[in-house]
Amino acid sequence: MQPLASAIDRLADTRPDDTAFLGVHDAFSWSDYAKRSERFAAHLVALGLGPGDRVGIVLPDGPGVHAAFVGCEKAGIVVVGIGPRAGTEEISHLLGLSGARALVARPSHRGIDMAALAGECGISCFVPIEGQLEEDEPALEGSGLLTSQARRLGVDDLFLLNSTSGTTGLPKCVTHHQARWLHFHELAAEAGEMTDADVFMSVLPAPFGFGLWTAHFTPALLGAPTVLMERFDASAMLRAMEKHRVSVLAAVSTQFIMMLNAPELEEADLSALRVLFTGGEAVPYERAAEFEERTGASVLQFYGSNETGALCRTTTRDSRDKRLRTAGRLIDSMQVRLYDDEGNDVTAGGEGQPACRGPLTSHGYFGDEAANAKLFTRDGWMLTGDIARIDAEGYLSVVGRTADFIIRGGKNISGPAVEDAVSSHPSVALSAAVAMPDPVYGERVCVYVELLEDEPGLTLEALREHLQERGVSKEWFPERLIVVEALPRASGGKIAKGELRADIR
């Protein structure tokens, strides 16, 4: 098992002019990838950064952020990957928590003076990046040193810290070693029957788990090109997919729903598309089935978390019912169990919180022993924070999240289940269900919705009538409806429910 940098160097030797990335700038070859990552590594070494030092990287999605990650790998430096949506508070928190010695970013990020922010965080080494690590980038002119092979990180070394993209509170730093992602790659390639003939498109932020395997690891390990976007835009994504004949798409549910809602979908030629990998949040059955019908592609997913990696997966060989109504069959090597609230193993029957122990797990949180104590069971199994059941065939279904239940009169109501029902209304583009405090019932169901373009509006009465006609359980009926122009997003691209919970209180 060889590190990613070795795979890229090998492609630079054997297929130097073939395309590695297609971003907002010109095509980026495997030779470009190897040379620019090497120059970046040499620059970091020349700045005096030593093996094991942490370096914060805040860059938009594109070829440059991947070259920077690989450059750090070659220099023996640990990346602190910070999402492009992050604001001042989150960036400062992650830099401090990780003990970063340097910050790599564009001079201005979302209106923030990044050099000044680095200084406020006590970081004297700020590395400005004007573009996507172009050859003539002056910030990368160093001493011409070439990095030593001895400095390079191995597959079992800490290579990256990223945030938990949580929707409440300040994020934690999750530890990553390459071995878990190399193993993940093998499972992904087999699930989607992927080869070097595929063209990938990943619209996930590079530092997060979903973005790591779909843009950083799997395409390079296969030797396949990847299309990237600095900012997600459904219409632009469709144009790029048609232009570059994308065959493997990676997007969270929110993004592929926005793609379905885009008028350009009617005219776009997506005949090359074979597979959509989605996840990161509950997959809505009806919209996923619509995606398959309209594109001819199979919708697949891995279920897990940034911390655990995948516990189960769906594949191209699964039926639609299994692919869209479950989170997939358990991965044997992950030894999945279910635990009840008292910590008892309830895998044999009933529902419980999934936990696992296997090669895809992280090593936990960086510098946070209290959080690690909550992440693991007493006997060392890593918890997911969800509630699930496992059927006789070994397929896992998520029925809710321990922090995403609305408890009404002592009855647990799954937020994702309510959202799936509400999203079936023809006027609704996206929805998010949260608990609304109530003096009698404790909590009631409140739903925030984003409507489709040109829809005149939606009333609570009309929504409830629609759910009644569909036979939805009355326990899931929203008791308050709030229509917003756009639902807020967290760093990882998911809906930021923490903001909605704060708003409704």
Side-chain angles (χ1 to χ4, degrees), residues 3 29 32 59 62 68 86 99 102 104 166 192 231 284 329 386 423 428 433-434 440 452 465 504:
S29 70
D32 292 331
L59 290 173
V104 177
R231 296 178 184 83
R329 192 191 296 270
D386 291 322
S423 293
V428 174
V434 295
V440 176
L452 291 168
E465 287 177 357
I504 197 61

Side-chain angles (χ1 to χ4, degrees), residues 120-439:
E120 291 169 8
C121 295
I123 295 175
S124 58
C125 186
F126 175 65
V127 183
I129 302 295
E130 295 289 352
Q132 290 288 331
L133 293 170
E134 288 95 346
E135 288 284 5
D136 58 353
E137 172 53 60
L140 298 183
E141 290 179 357
S143 63
L145 294 172
L146 292 177
T147 54
S148 167
Q149 289 284 337
R151 278 192 63 139
R152 293 190 176 198
L153 297 173
V155 297
D156 295 315
D157 294 326
L158 176 66
F159 89 98
L160 181 140
L161 301 172
N162 68 9
S163 68
T164 50
S165 72
T167 56
T168 59
L170 292 171
K172 306 175 186 68
C173 281
V174 179
T175 59
H176 294 265
H177 55 294
Q178 287 200 23
R180 68 186 302 227
W181 293 109
L182 297 175
H183 188 72
F184 195 109
H185 157 72
E186 294 176 357
L187 292 165
E190 196 273 337
E193 300 178 78
M194 296 180 290
T195 71
D196 61 356
D198 280 306
V199 177
F200 285 71
M201 183 171 195
S202 178
V203 290
L204 294 315
F208 300 109
F210 199 176
L212 278 175
W213 84 258
T214 57
H216 196 61
F217 280 97
T218 286
L221 294 171
L222 290 174
T226 305
V227 181
L228 301 174
M229 299 176 65
E230 280 201 11
R231 296 178 184 83
F232 176 76
D233 177 272
S235 298
M237 181 178 76
L238 284 165
R239 291 192 295 271
M241 289 174 66
E242 180 175 32
K243 177 181 178 182
H244 300 298
R245 304 288 293 164
V246 169
S247 58
V248 178
L249 175 65
V252 296
S253 299
T254 300
Q255 292 168 323
F256 86 71
I257 290 172
M258 293 174 73
M259 173 182 165
L260 286 175
N261 297 338
E264 290 85 354
L265 181 59
E266 293 297 329
E267 303 298 328
D269 177 6
L270 303 183
S271 57
L273 188 65
R274 298 189 306 104
V275 173
L276 162 67
F277 277 98
T278 191
E281 53 192 334
V283 178
Y285 178 87
E286 292 196 1
R287 300 313 298 271
E290 179 188 351
F291 185 94
E292 292 196 342
E293 293 293 338
R294 295 177 70 181
T295 67
S298 296
V299 176
L300 305 181
Q301 66 168 309
F302 282 91
Y303 162 71
S305 68
N306 196 8
E307 293 90 337
T308 64
L311 281 69
C312 53
R313 61 172 182 166
T314 54
T315 77
T316 52
R317 280 83 66 197
D318 286 319
S319 67
R320 174 179 287 185
D321 193 60
K322 292 296 187 184
R323 284 188 284 103
L324 304 187
R325 293 195 185 279
T326 78
R329 192 191 296 270
L330 299 179
I331 297 169
D332 291 340
S333 62
M334 291 301 289
Q335 308 176 61
V336 178
R337 293 179 176 179
L338 299 180
Y339 285 89
D340 65 15
D341 291 342
E342 284 72 46
N344 301 309
D345 186 340
V346 294
T347 311
E351 299 176 354
Q353 184 174 180
C356 61
R357 188 171 63 187
L360 300 181
T361 60
S362 71
H363 291 162
Y365 300 120
F366 183 85
D368 196 335
E369 290 308 314
N372 280 325
K374 295 179 181 178
L375 179 62
F376 292 91
T377 64
R378 291 187 298 271
D379 51 352
W381 294 66
M382 188 178 286
L383 295 163
T384 64
D386 291 322
I387 302 297
R389 67 170 70 96
I390 300 170
D391 68 18
E393 296 178 86
Y395 284 85
L396 182 146
S397 295
V398 178
V399 298
R401 185 169 172 79
T402 55
D404 202 14
F405 278 131
I406 300 161
I407 306 175
R408 188 185 188 280
K411 176 70 175 180
N412 288 352
I413 300 169
S414 166
V418 173
E419 291 157 9
D420 201 4
V422 169
S423 293
S424 69
H425 191 284
S427 295
V428 174
L430 295 169
S431 67
V434 295
M436 176 175 62
D438 185 86

Side-chain angles (χ1 to χ4, degrees), residues 5 9 33-34 37-38 41 70-76 147-148 151-152:
D9 287 346
Y33 199 177
S37 60
E38 185 72 24
V70 175
C72 286
E73 178 190 338
K74 289 180 175 181
T147 54
S148 167
R151 278 192 63 139
R152 293 190 176 198

Side-chain angles (χ1 to χ4, degrees), residues 55-124:
V55 172
I57 296 181
V58 187
L59 290 173
D61 289 307
V65 70
H66 295 281
F69 284 8
V70 175
C72 286
E73 178 190 338
K74 289 180 175 181
I77 288 168
V78 178
V79 171
V80 181
I82 302 174
R85 290 178 178 267
T88 303
E89 183 179 25
E90 182 176 352
I91 295 170
S92 300
H93 169 72
L94 293 172
L95 293 175
L97 179 60
S98 65
R101 285 196 57 205
L103 174 62
V104 177
R106 290 183 174 177
S108 177
H109 165 76
R110 299 183 64 185
I112 303 168
D113 183 331
M114 296 300 280
L117 178 61
E120 291 169 8
C121 295
I123 295 175
S124 58

